Amino acid sequence: IHVSHGHEVPRPTPDVLLRRYPDADILVFGHTHRAVVHRTAHKLVVNPGAAGPKRFDVMPSVARLTLAPGVADVQIIDID
């Protein structure tokens, strides 16, 4: 699992981060304040969104990552 704020690349997207961190099976990033769940054949990329006050045009959210042997599942949870 690699956790990154995402600011180290000009525009963090799942594809950009997968190229930057090829050894990670699960990538968690932020910076954009927008929730994202992106899966490839063997990788999971997650942006949980932003848990603080509403900013921009996005609903505050968090992510719940559940790990089991050989399986990673994620759920984005909106915060009202």
Side-chain angles (χ1 to χ4, degrees), residues 24-44:
D25 294 321
I26 300 169
L27 278 156
V28 180
F29 75 103
H31 191 57
T32 66
H33 297 257
R34 296 188 187 280
V36 172
V37 175
H38 176 85
R39 293 182 186 274
T40 66
H42 302 287
K43 309 272 182 168
L44 173 63

Side-chain angles (χ1 to χ4, degrees), residues 6-75:
H7 71 286
E8 69 277 10
V9 296
R11 290 184 179 222
T13 66
D15 291 333
V16 168
L17 292 169
L18 284 166
R19 285 192 300 274
R20 174 99 181 215
Y21 305 109
D23 294 335
D25 294 321
I26 300 169
L27 278 156
V28 180
F29 75 103
H31 191 57
T32 66
H33 297 257
R34 296 188 187 280
V36 172
V37 175
H38 176 85
R39 293 182 186 274
T40 66
H42 302 287
K43 309 272 182 168
L44 173 63
V45 183
V46 178
N47 183 331
K54 185 174 181 176
R55 295 177 64 191
F56 315 114
D57 62 344
V58 296
M59 173 71 71
S61 61
V62 295
R64 178 184 298 136
L65 179 64
T66 304
L67 302 175
V71 177
D73 190 34
V74 66
Q75 177 185 11

